[in-house]
Amino acid sequence: MKNVTYIKPERKFEHEEEIRTSEWILYPEYWKFNSLVYGLKKQIFPPIDTYHLGHNKIEMTRILQMTFNKYIPYTIIAGNSKEKRTKILNKFPFPFVAKDIKNSMGRSVFLIKNEADFLTYCLTRDVLYVQEYLPIDCDLRIV
């Protein structure tokens, strides 16, 4: 790409004029986008909504459930209570998948093979994010 300048995030104040006069800011760090978008009114890529939604699996899933529900695995998102754990165990046959809500790229994904696995997952989470297991080798995500 022509006319692109890399600025280390921690040195942004040394390059304030370059930032102010730029047309676009590419791939800003998450902690910078508020000052760039709301403070300096800069256009950023990827767009701001990807930052708002992409950092929380719950918000992204709820949007997909509202717009493309038949194309996503059956999912339950619930607070961690005895009643909700029982509901999940009654709804999902083993195996099923449990995930952390603030992770991506396959990190913090747990294959739940039995009730003991599920209860271990539940020990350290306030919110339970559970999906049906899809017996596939890989997935393809097209945006």
Side-chain angles (χ1 to χ4, degrees):
M1 295 175 69
K2 295 180 181 180
N3 300 319
V4 173
T5 302
Y6 175 76
I7 299 171
K8 290 185 177 188
E10 63 272 10
R11 299 183 72 196
K12 70 179 183 180
F13 295 113
E14 297 170 36
H15 298 274
E16 188 175 338
E17 188 56 34
E18 290 170 84
I19 293 170
R20 285 183 184 280
T21 59
S22 66
E23 289 183 52
W24 285 84
I25 307 293
L26 306 177
Y27 303 104
E29 304 240 355
Y30 184 75
W31 59 271
K32 288 176 60 180
F33 80 81
N34 282 333
S35 61
L36 294 171
V37 172
Y38 302 117
L40 297 178
K41 310 290 187 219
K42 302 308 299 181
Q43 294 186 77
I44 65 169
F45 180 86
I48 190 100
D49 52 350
T50 63
Y51 286 95
H52 287 219
L53 303 174
H55 285 268
N56 187 311
K57 195 175 270 63
I58 293 173
E59 294 302 323
M60 182 59 72
T61 300
R62 287 185 175 147
I63 288 169
L64 291 172
Q65 286 173 324
M66 185 65 71
T67 56
F68 303 104
N69 194 43
K70 69 180 182 176
Y71 299 108
I72 64 169
Y74 178 65
T75 305
I76 291 180
I77 302 165
N80 188 352
S81 68
K82 183 178 180 184
E83 295 79 21
K84 298 298 183 180
R85 291 190 299 269
T86 300
K87 176 184 176 185
I88 288 169
L89 288 171
N90 289 333
K91 289 270 188 184
F92 286 90
F94 296 111
F96 60 86
V97 175
K99 300 178 180 181
D100 283 346
I101 60 173
K102 294 229 177 192
N103 230 317
S104 63
M105 301 187 304
R107 291 186 298 259
S108 295
V109 176
F110 307 93
L111 181 60
I112 306 298
K113 298 177 192 169
N114 53 50
E115 188 171 346
D117 286 348
F118 182 58
L119 295 177
T120 299
Y121 164 80
C122 293
L123 284 175
T124 57
R125 287 157 184 91
D126 295 326
V127 177
L128 307 176
Y129 184 100
V130 177
Q131 289 183 319
E132 70 179 301
Y133 173 75
L134 301 176
I136 57 176
D137 293 332
C138 64
D139 64 2
L140 179 62
R141 300 170 191 203
I142 301 172
V143 180

